[in-house]
Amino acid sequence: MTIDLVIKNATILTMDENFSRAGSLTVKDGRVDQVWETAEPPEALLGTIDTSQVIDLKGKTVVPGFVDTHSHLLMYSQFRDQANCSSPLNQSISDILEKLRAQLEKVNEDEWVLGWGYDNTLLKENRHPTRKELDQVSTEVPIFIRHTSVHFAVANSKALELAGLTDDTKNPKGGHFGKDEDGKLDGVLYELPALEPVQAAIPTPSISDMADLLGEGAKDYLAEGITTCSDAGVGLDLGMAEYEAHLKAVKEAKHPLRMRLMVLHHLLSGAFKEKNAETLNKEIQVATEGRAVLDSAKLFQDGSIQGFTAALREPYYTKPEEYGELLRDQEEFEEELLDLHNRGFRLTIHGNGDKAIESILDAYSFVLNKNPRAHHLHRIEHLQTALPTDLDRMKELDVAGSFFINHVYYWADRHKKYFLGPERTARINPLADASERDILYTLHSDCPITPISPLFSIWAAVNRQTMDGEILGEDQCISVEKALQTMTIDGAKLNADEANSGSLEAGKLADFAILDQDPTAVDKMAIKNIMVLETYIGGERVYRKEG
């Protein structure tokens, strides 16, 4: 028998149904061969193996490779080369302008100055930058910066001109163009439909360049122990070019991640309108030799809480006239979902506000009444303000979820002060309520909205500590074991891949991460400080921490 790798003297959290622990395991042909409770496999087996294939972990911890069910790998990879306008790095609008001036020195004559990550609520001015302020950097070179939520942006005069936007341009459905006191465009773009004209004017990078960027960005994912990644918006900004870049990156081994593609609905009603889910999935697998698959059809039904555009049943805390709005009329929304459902697509829908969550559940009820399907795995993304009644309906309809748990740390203090008020903020991301109902759910960072780190997301779910140090909604904390499950075996279940991934059991893929400490044994507040030492995919080491 040929054994490719032996891990011994380890603390192995198998994440099987019994949350079993083990001391050693063997790998053969990219899969787990056997898992042993003992610190070493039987002596007779070790005697037949080349010692170079044996790794003595000396008590270090092994966990299944983390399953990232919602992030934006391509967007993150592109942002890495843009001006970092985020806070607290930048304290004021003038700080952002300095970052843009530095970026201006780097770009070629025909390129745009692009930036990402500004947060108006963390800036000294407590507002968005304006076109006039961006014009201070340049009126000749187009400038476009994305908000930390990516649901908003600011453009300078040149960018607005190239996009064909004027003071008389009508607001698109589901978005609007900011105006100053004189009724002129102030450069602020609210929600994705308002961003579209400007983004359409930005020169599209080559497929090869984007594939290379994906390879670079993936290195940061591997360093966090991620082995399976779902890009939650393929086609969001650049349409088919994003889809082709993903296929090229995987096919040409720019990175080793197991990729899942959540394809934007407008591609499925456009370039792929003649394809059903089975056909498209086969095409993706053939093009990537099985290393990428179709995940789902991705749609949006509201915006962002921190931009007052998430659709709520009750008004915003400091703006009692504002409720946000649904992005789609219900009847039109339901008919599109039914078409996608009938074509075999799994549906993944962005819903932050409780009104949007209600709308999504109404649509799922409509679809499933028209065409029932067992184990459909339709899901709702983010679920910030889901109420107990919403969770009851999710359970009834067998709808899964992916909670944006990092929101608790990064935004809850401002939700409490500006957006939702103390009572609603205390129960954002109601994980304990979802667990009590045995709803299938996972956690996510929505990277690049917040930094990619499964261990941080686990820490956030276990502790619910805000940036200001408050423990928010302690009754919604979950156990370390449950939080680990959401990032491993439950992620695999959400991907309908639990037979292959998510736990370390004989016959499953040898995807795992080596940690310097056991998350179940350290102080709960220390979980986010645990280091990923190595990452393996298919039994091959794809990351090793320097030093």
Side-chain angles (χ1 to χ4, degrees):
M1 174 173 54
T2 302
I3 297 297
D4 300 318
L5 183 67
V6 176
I7 301 291
K8 70 175 187 177
N9 292 324
T11 300
I12 301 174
L13 307 182
T14 68
M15 303 310 299
D16 66 11
E17 62 181 9
N18 298 315
F19 205 81
S20 303
R21 291 171 176 262
S24 56
L25 62 79
T26 53
V27 175
K28 178 182 178 183
D29 297 331
R31 292 183 177 266
V32 176
D33 182 55
Q34 293 189 68
V35 180
W36 312 85
E37 292 184 11
T38 53
E40 297 188 8
E43 211 172 303
L45 176 64
L46 282 179
T48 66
I49 297 171
D50 184 337
T51 55
S52 66
Q53 298 170 306
V54 179
I55 301 177
D56 186 343
L57 287 186
K58 300 178 181 178
K60 298 294 190 296
T61 299
V62 180
V63 296
F66 292 121
V67 179
D68 171 57
T69 58
H70 186 122
S71 70
H72 301 270
L73 176 59
L74 179 56
M75 184 185 294
Y76 169 73
S77 302
Q78 293 173 304
F79 281 3
R80 291 168 84 250
D81 284 347
Q82 298 177 13
N84 185 350
C85 301
S86 64
S87 298
L89 175 64
N90 298 283
Q91 305 296 326
S92 65
I93 291 173
S94 62
D95 291 341
I96 291 175
L97 298 183
E98 285 305 308
K99 294 293 189 303
L100 296 174
R101 289 188 181 100
Q103 188 72 11
L104 178 62
E105 296 298 316
K106 300 178 184 178
V107 302
N108 295 324
E109 186 176 332
D110 58 345
E111 293 182 325
W112 289 44
V113 170
L114 302 174
W116 65 275
Y118 83 89
D119 188 335
N120 52 301
T121 65
L122 287 179
L123 295 173
K124 180 179 66 177
E125 297 86 353
N126 195 28
R127 62 172 175 80
H128 296 275
T130 66
R131 71 186 287 186
K132 291 181 179 179
E133 287 163 329
L134 269 55
D135 283 349
Q136 295 173 26
V137 177
S138 178
T139 56
E140 299 299 320
V141 177
I143 301 173
F144 180 71
I145 61 174
R146 298 284 285 268
H147 187 265
T148 183
S149 68
V150 307
H151 282 259
F152 318 102
V154 187
N156 73 343
S157 296
K158 188 64 175 180
L160 295 174
E161 174 192 329
L162 292 174
L165 297 178
T166 70
D167 298 334
D168 297 323
T169 303
K170 293 183 178 180
N171 290 327
K173 169 68 177 174
H176 68 277
F177 306 114
K179 299 285 185 72
D180 61 22
E181 58 187 13
D182 296 322
K184 298 184 179 299
L185 291 175
D186 64 8
V188 185
L189 310 168
Y190 295 88
E191 277 306 327
L192 302 178
L195 273 65
E196 285 178 7
V198 181
Q199 288 179 300
I202 300 172
T204 301
S206 72
I207 304 301
S208 293
D209 285 347
M210 285 193 284
D212 288 341
L213 288 174
L214 281 163
E216 291 301 309
K219 293 177 182 177
D220 294 341
Y221 279 52
L222 296 171
E224 299 295 340
I226 295 167
T227 55
T228 298
C229 171
S230 298
D231 192 308
V234 178
L236 179 63
D237 292 339
L238 302 173
M240 280 294 294
E242 296 185 11
Y243 172 81
E244 292 168 6
H246 270 294
L247 298 190
K248 186 176 183 67
V250 175
K251 182 178 181 179
E252 296 184 1
K254 301 291 185 182
H255 65 75
L257 288 167
R258 302 188 192 277
M259 285 302 304
R260 302 180 62 86
L261 307 184
M262 296 162 67
V263 180
L264 261 292
H265 65 108
H266 62 259
L267 294 185
L268 300 177
S269 61
F272 297 134
K273 65 181 179 181
E274 303 300 328
K275 300 184 188 298
N276 60 30
E278 182 180 4
T279 300
L280 184 56
N281 187 39
K282 284 182 179 178
E283 289 185 8
I284 293 170
Q285 292 193 56
V286 168
T288 62
E289 298 179 351
R291 291 181 46 241
V293 298
L294 172 69
D295 183 276
S296 56
K298 174 68 182 294
L299 302 94
F300 294 80
Q301 186 57 343
D302 74 342
S304 168
I305 292 172
Q306 54 267 38
F308 299 101
T309 56
L312 300 175
R313 292 181 175 108
E314 300 297 327
Y316 281 90
Y317 187 56
T318 56
K319 291 191 175 184
E321 73 284 359
E322 293 284 351
Y323 289 78
E325 67 175 315
L326 300 176
L327 295 181
R328 306 283 297 279
D329 294 329
Q330 192 68 24
E331 184 176 349
E332 173 196 354
F333 183 49
E334 291 176 353
E335 289 300 329
E336 181 172 15
L337 293 190
L338 181 60
D339 172 66
L340 292 167
H341 173 83
N342 288 342
R343 289 159 61 193
F345 289 96
R346 192 253 290 262
L347 304 172
T348 302
I349 308 176
H350 166 119
N352 268 315
D354 55 0
K355 181 65 176 176
I357 294 166
E358 178 184 46
S359 168
I360 295 166
L361 289 170
D362 286 347
Y364 280 156
S365 178
F366 169 82
V367 165
L368 294 169
N369 280 330
K370 290 282 187 178
N371 183 5
R373 184 197 303 168
H375 198 56
H376 51 77
L377 286 176
H378 296 330
R379 35 191 281 211
I380 304 177
E381 304 303 285
H382 306 321
L383 286 162
Q384 290 299 295
T385 56
L387 298 176
T389 51
D390 300 319
L391 297 175
D392 289 339
R393 292 190 70 196
M394 287 179 67
K395 180 62 178 177
E396 177 188 351
L397 295 168
D398 198 23
V399 170
S402 187
F403 286 91
F404 189 1
I405 189 59
N406 290 14
H407 238 92
V408 173
Y409 177 79
Y410 285 101
W411 279 290
D413 297 309
R414 282 165 286 153
H415 282 356
K416 183 177 177 180
K417 184 177 180 180
Y418 299 118
F419 305 117
L420 298 176
E423 184 177 342
R424 281 183 292 181
T425 301
R427 54 164 290 106
I428 63 170
N429 289 285
L431 302 185
D433 286 352
S435 298
E436 182 182 327
R437 289 160 173 79
D438 196 28
I439 292 170
L440 175 62
Y441 70 86
T442 60
L443 308 176
H444 67 260
S445 68
D446 205 17
C447 179
I449 312 308
T450 68
I452 190 72
S453 172
L455 285 164
F456 182 92
S457 295
I458 289 167
W459 171 86
V462 169
N463 295 289
R464 293 181 67 91
Q465 185 181 56
T466 73
M467 195 178 287
D468 287 349
E470 180 183 354
I471 302 301
L472 174 81
E474 190 171 5
D475 61 324
Q476 293 302 324
C477 291
I478 58 174
S479 69
V480 177
E481 290 80 5
K482 176 59 179 175
L484 279 167
Q485 287 174 344
T486 66
M487 300 299 301
T488 54
I489 187 60
D490 288 349
K493 290 177 180 177
L494 194 70
N495 292 341
D497 193 49
E498 63 268 35
N500 280 304
S501 62
S503 62
L504 295 172
E505 301 179 74
K508 288 196 174 187
L509 294 167
D511 297 353
F512 54 89
I514 299 173
L515 313 179
D516 71 333
Q517 297 180 82
D518 177 356
T520 67
V522 301
D523 183 282
K524 292 178 181 179
M525 280 293 178
I527 292 173
K528 65 182 173 64
N529 300 322
I530 292 174
M531 291 188 295
V532 176
L533 302 178
E534 299 184 15
T535 304
Y536 287 74
I537 295 179
E540 298 288 335
R541 187 170 65 201
V542 294
Y543 165 77
R544 186 176 191 180
K545 185 175 178 62
E546 292 185 8

